[in-house]
Amino acid sequence: MEKVAIIELNERALNLSIYKISNGKSLLCLSKTQAFRLGEEIDNDELINPKTKNDILEILRIYRKLIEDYDVEKIIPVCTSVILKARNYRGFFDEIYNNTGLNFAILNDEEYIKSLFNSVVNNIDSAKGVFVYVGAYSSYIVKYNRRAILSSVTIPLGTFNTKLVDNDMDKTIDYLKSQISIGNILQDVDVDGKFVGIGVSFLALGKIAKKIMRYPLDVDNNFIISRENIDKTIAFFKTLDLDKVKKIKGIDGDNADKLATGFALIQAILSHINLTEITISTSNMVSGQLQMNVLNLSSERFNDLLSNSLDNYYEFTKDEFSINPSVYNMATILFKQLKVMHKLPRFYVKPLRIASFMYDSGKCINAREYTKYGFEKIVYSDIAGATHRELLLAGFICVCQNLDDFSLNEWIKYKDILLEEDLDAVRKLGIIVKLAVALNASRKPVVQDIVCDILGDSIIMKTVVEGDATYEILEGMKVASDYRKVYKKSLQII
């Protein structure tokens, strides 16, 4: 296992991210941010003033100490192209290198787009689509398909170099509409592809929209917002003064004044795009740099983003007693064999995969009653490749391994995301996961397969085994009473 640090200097802040790397998988173990108004300073004076230089150097020395404490083997220092506007940037970087040994790479538009692309396609389950990024000095529209960027447009407007016209958002939006041209980049966009919004402005838009909509789930990635709700959110934002904006939970107060121009740019760009909804993503340049320079597994992740995300989770949580892949495989077998009984459509396979692979995720809180605490772990573990509804279902399936842990009051909180038929589904799938765990009771792959026969009010599960499955059958029969509650049939395992 190695450790990698990525240091990012941009117009807003100096950021440090330290990751553990193992078998092509990554775990963020430290994230630090120190705010600087570097962009505004360079815009005003075309210089980095001595105080800012000293402050940045001091933070970099602290970051170097943290990097040493974490025994980091590889450091990737990157900087956005804003620094090129400062006449003294070369001397500044020489100073950084002489004092810290860090040699910053300055990313141009093409390199930045490539980083964002690698982050998006490893974060959102859409092999083809379009992503829109609103940055500080440039905005990008990028069309992609599988492993390739097909085309892109760079708009030389961002939140730092766009000013409100007469301090009026509506006038600014009208002005920006006339200034933005995206050409024919959206020709032949596949209807199955997604429109993805990334960057600070889109994340803030999503946070405010969720408050207006009373959205019950506090998860930023993969939040789908309709065009109608985008318009409503921005209309609401227009009524707020700056002090109220700064008080919105989750909004960066230091850069709240940039949100007006960010939202104006979003409205202006989207006016050129015919879409009904957009998926907001937490994808960013840092995670893209990690993919490109360390993990380098983009081609593999395109095949099954969810499987790779679950494997990534498992890499850093497993121990010598873990049987998660075996439970996952057995749950899949049981889902197929019990199809006549549960009558659930294929949609529920993905939530079942997540729940069975993370069936014991709550053990980090309480090893004895882990089913009770698995919900939060599943929903908030940044599992990629699943919608918010699928994550919620997986969390409730995990809880339903013990039917007594299920709370209808908790379920009702998410009634605007979940469907009526989901309630029956999570109970049925919870029993499947519980059976899958029982059939791996000795933590060895003794039970290889299951064949089910339905006889009137009974179902007989015939185990295909390699070795003695006495313990597995004993544990499996303990599920029989719950099975009867949910499936209304008696269970016999032989």
Side-chain angles (χ1 to χ4, degrees), residues 441-454:
S442 64
R443 300 189 175 270
K444 296 177 183 177
V446 178
V447 180
Q448 298 286 304
D449 203 353
I450 290 287
V451 178
C452 293
D453 290 332
I454 301 172

Side-chain angles (χ1 to χ4, degrees), residues 10-11 37-49 81-89 137:
N10 62 36
E11 62 285 338
R37 286 192 171 263
L38 186 63
E40 289 184 8
E41 186 174 302
I42 293 174
D43 280 346
N44 293 334
D45 305 325
E46 295 185 355
L47 289 170
I48 307 166
N49 70 46
S81 58
V82 60
I83 201 75
L84 297 175
K85 298 181 179 182
R87 296 195 305 272
N88 59 342
Y89 83 89
Y137 293 94

